[in-house]
Amino acid sequence: DAGVIQSPRHEVTEMGQEVTLRCKPISGHDYLFWYRQTMMRGLELLIYFNNNVPIDDSGMPEDRFSAKMPNASFSTLKIQPSEPRDSAVYFCASSFTGRAGYTFGSGTRLTVV
Amino acid sequence: AQTVTQSQPEMSVQEAETVTLSCTYDTSENNYYLFWYKQPPSRQMILVIRQEAYKQQNATENRFSVNFQKAAKSFSLKISDSQLGDTAMYFCAFMKGGGSNYKLTFGKGTLLTVNP
């Protein structure tokens, strides 16, 4: 298995632009998580899905952030409009049942200038 | 809410020696899971070891082992025969048991450097 695949690996965008981060989970995994990592706040859960349904989005910072999972093999995290404070590494992770721990993707480093 | 504390921002160890990373957590739950993740410079988050709170036996994975003290809410990671490839950030994480909430709460991490 190729693991959890995220794209792009790096993204540099201007303030106010729309940014879309993509994730392909491991086949057969029924949970998908989006985390954000910053120096100040560490790793924070943004949202997670079970069988493509959003379960907990309480970590989504504000309405500028949205996430979708149209099918079991694809999810997106969108920021519109982007702001410099959104600069961070965004991780996608997937899991089968959750309790075994997650498999993380390589992350997307987002820089908003 | 659960909190995870890693009190050592940075540590260093000589190759082939043993090092222990500390982690404490605060929870009112009795059923939960604890994890250690490794993040090397490549940025990939890698699961190192997992412990179920209701199991008294400490988990072991090759050179990695934990000292789980439930009453003290302590979950330290011991790395034996340290290798240069062990250089990484190490994160301790907590997950509630029961129900269907699979959120991982992470500590701030410990940067471990293995010196030749």
Side-chain angles (χ1 to χ4, degrees):
Chain A
D1 199 320
V4 177
I5 299 172
Q6 289 189 249
S7 63
R9 183 160 173 82
H10 303 278
E11 176 81 34
V12 180
T13 191
E14 291 185 348
M15 183 173 62
Q17 296 297 306
E18 177 180 296
V19 176
T20 299
L21 311 182
R22 297 172 174 78
C23 175
K24 176 180 170 55
I26 291 174
S27 177
H29 282 190
D30 53 351
Y31 284 86
L32 184 138
F33 305 83
W34 283 100
Y35 274 79
R36 178 171 68 175
Q37 184 179 32
T38 61
M39 289 293 293
M40 289 297 294
R41 301 174 68 89
L43 283 150
E44 305 172 279
L45 176 66
L46 299 177
I47 185 171
Y48 78 90
F49 297 83
N50 175 219
N51 292 324
N52 314 338
V53 177
I55 302 300
D56 183 353
D57 66 353
S58 59
M60 296 286 263
E62 48 199 274
D63 292 345
R64 297 185 298 106
F65 286 70
S66 63
K68 294 182 179 180
M69 192 166 186
N71 57 62
S73 59
F74 184 65
S75 177
T76 59
L77 178 67
K78 186 176 294 186
I79 308 172
Q80 166 64 21
S82 58
E83 297 182 2
R85 60 193 168 115
D86 301 331
S87 297
V89 177
Y90 291 82
F91 285 102
C92 175
S94 70
S95 178
F96 179 63
T97 77
R99 299 279 180 243
Y102 311 162
T103 301
F104 281 81
S106 298
T108 295
R109 179 176 294 281
L110 173 66
T111 303
V112 183
V113 298
Chain B
Q2 285 67 230
T3 59
V4 178
T5 302
Q6 295 179 249
S7 58
Q8 307 148 314
E10 294 188 37
M11 294 189 72
S12 63
V13 65
Q14 292 299 122
E15 196 174 7
E17 294 186 347
T18 295
V19 64
T20 299
L21 309 183
S22 300
C23 173
T24 58
Y25 56 94
D26 185 22
T27 184
S28 58
E29 303 286 330
N30 192 50
N31 182 21
Y32 51 87
Y33 300 80
L34 296 164
F35 304 82
W36 279 98
Y37 277 86
K38 167 185 177 181
Q39 186 177 38
S42 66
R43 199 169 73 202
Q44 181 82 44
M45 293 284 288
I46 302 165
L47 178 61
V48 175
I49 201 164
R50 170 183 177 270
Q51 175 79 40
E52 300 174 23
Y54 58 86
K55 288 188 176 180
Q56 292 190 347
Q57 185 174 5
N58 289 324
T60 299
E61 290 288 341
N62 300 313
R63 298 182 296 106
F64 298 87
S65 61
V66 298
N67 183 4
F68 173 48
Q69 301 290 327
K70 190 172 184 179
K73 297 180 181 175
S74 171
F75 182 61
S76 60
L77 175 69
K78 185 172 84 172
I79 306 174
S80 303
D81 185 26
S82 297
Q83 301 175 0
L84 297 178
D86 295 334
T87 292
M89 281 290 288
Y90 287 81
F91 293 95
C92 179
F94 173 99
M95 180 188 289
K96 286 170 58 175
S100 59
N101 185 343
Y102 298 118
K103 174 182 176 179
L104 270 176
T105 299
F106 287 89
K108 295 293 189 184
T110 296
L111 177 60
L112 175 67
T113 302
V114 180
N115 299 308

